[in-house]
Amino acid sequence: MTLMLTAFVFWLAMWWLNTRIAASRRHGTRAARLAVPVIFGVTILVVWELVVRGLEVSPVILPAPTAIAAKFAAETGTLWLDFRQTALKGAVSGYVIGCAAALAAALAIDRSPFLQRGLLPIGNFVAALPIVGTAPILVNWFGFDWQSKAAVVVVMVFFPVLVNTVQGLADTTAMQRDLMRTYSASYWQTLLKLRLPAAMPFIFNGLKISTTLALIGAIVAEYFGSPTRGMGFRISTEVGRLGLDMVWAEITVAAIAGSVFYGAVAALERGVTFWHPSQRG
């Protein structure tokens, strides 16, 4: 009971501190913007620890953060091998191939009204297919190694990037296009100097959405066949052995990898679209 009361008091104190920081005049500073999510995350971990220990929750149901951290430290080598297999080989390779193919297909669709009317509806149909239905088929086609996971990722990231790119290429006004024609600009000159820069916010929107889809797709694909390594393989195996601390350690790795991946694309977006109103300080 004492631990539960401590958790409640700690939560109220951190809530009060966060609201004070958010309401202060210095909230716009970088330190204040970082402090709010950090305090909130630490609060969740501390309350989680206190509640699990106070209620004596079984590790099979929900392990404490300290138990997860201990497992993380003890199995760093295994976690690294799983991360390299799933994220670096399956997710990243599939992400690069899928996004590059989507950009090329968007340019082809932009040049051909036939493809725009025929390919986009098919793309929307394929994008609506559940991953649990397409993943086993692709695993059977490409084998149990990382190539099949990359194929699943290609399917998942292709259409979000395609749709956003096509929409971005159309996001120019008639006056802007008429101005390029008055300069006798060719299609490729108009594309490179006007339409592609204008489409960059849309393209990066699709790229950022696809960062999370890539890792999810690679992990789920490993449920349907994988060598004896990989994040999805480890999660499914440890759930069967009731090793929930290892499962949460893998989830932590996936969350960190996804956040870093998203942050890298967002940083690239700020460098490329610095002129856009959304990037102005």
Side-chain angles (χ1 to χ4, degrees):
M1 196 65 184
T2 303
L3 290 176
M4 295 298 297
L5 181 60
T6 303
F8 181 71
V9 172
F10 182 79
W11 175 269
L12 289 179
M14 293 300 101
W15 183 275
W16 175 84
L17 178 60
N18 247 353
T19 53
R20 294 279 300 198
I21 295 174
S24 67
R25 295 182 179 179
R26 296 184 178 181
H27 174 61
T29 63
R30 185 172 184 178
R33 291 198 303 268
L34 290 175
V36 172
V38 169
I39 292 174
F40 187 75
V42 171
T43 302
I44 291 177
L45 292 177
V46 172
V47 172
W48 178 357
E49 181 78 23
L50 294 174
V51 169
V52 167
R53 294 190 179 278
L55 297 179
E56 298 181 354
V57 179
S58 171
V60 175
I61 298 176
L62 182 64
T66 51
I68 298 171
K71 192 68 173 179
F72 192 102
E75 299 291 344
T76 304
T78 301
L79 293 171
W80 168 248
L81 290 176
D82 293 341
F83 168 78
R84 189 172 60 182
Q85 173 72 18
T86 303
L88 297 184
K89 291 184 178 180
V92 172
S93 60
Y95 179 85
V96 172
I97 295 170
C99 292
L103 293 173
L107 294 177
I109 289 173
D110 183 66
R111 292 283 286 174
S112 172
F114 168 74
L115 290 178
Q116 187 171 5
R117 296 189 182 96
L119 184 59
L120 285 181
I122 296 176
N124 293 330
F125 172 77
V126 175
L129 295 176
I131 184 176
V132 294
T134 56
I137 297 174
L138 293 173
V139 169
N140 286 332
W141 286 357
F142 294 97
F144 291 143
D145 210 346
W146 64 269
Q147 291 87 350
S148 59
K149 287 64 183 176
V152 173
V153 173
V154 168
V155 173
M156 291 194 68
V157 307
F158 180 85
F159 294 104
V161 177
L162 174 67
V163 171
N164 278 277
T165 304
V166 170
Q167 184 180 1
L169 291 174
D171 190 50
T172 52
T173 64
M175 184 177 295
Q176 292 171 327
R177 295 191 295 270
D178 289 341
L179 180 62
M180 295 300 292
R181 279 193 288 267
T182 61
Y183 292 149
S184 298
S186 65
Y187 168 82
W188 292 106
Q189 289 174 325
T190 303
L191 177 68
L192 294 176
K193 296 181 181 297
L194 172 64
R195 301 177 66 217
L196 200 56
M200 280 300 166
F202 293 87
I203 294 174
F204 275 102
N205 185 48
L207 293 176
K208 288 188 294 185
I209 292 172
S210 298
T211 56
T212 55
L213 293 177
L215 198 55
I216 292 171
I219 291 174
V220 173
E222 290 181 344
Y223 278 75
F224 300 97
S226 174
T228 57
R229 58 187 180 276
M231 300 167 74
F233 166 80
R234 196 73 56 194
I235 289 173
S236 61
T237 302
E238 293 297 331
V239 165
R241 298 168 52 187
L242 300 181
L244 271 296
D245 50 355
M246 188 61 177
V247 172
W248 278 97
E250 292 283 359
I251 292 173
T252 302
V253 172
I256 294 173
S259 300
V260 171
F261 197 6
Y262 183 93
V265 176
L268 181 62
E269 178 187 21
R270 286 193 295 271
V272 174
T273 63
F274 60 91
W275 49 268
H276 195 263
S278 63
Q279 303 298 331
R280 294 172 186 167

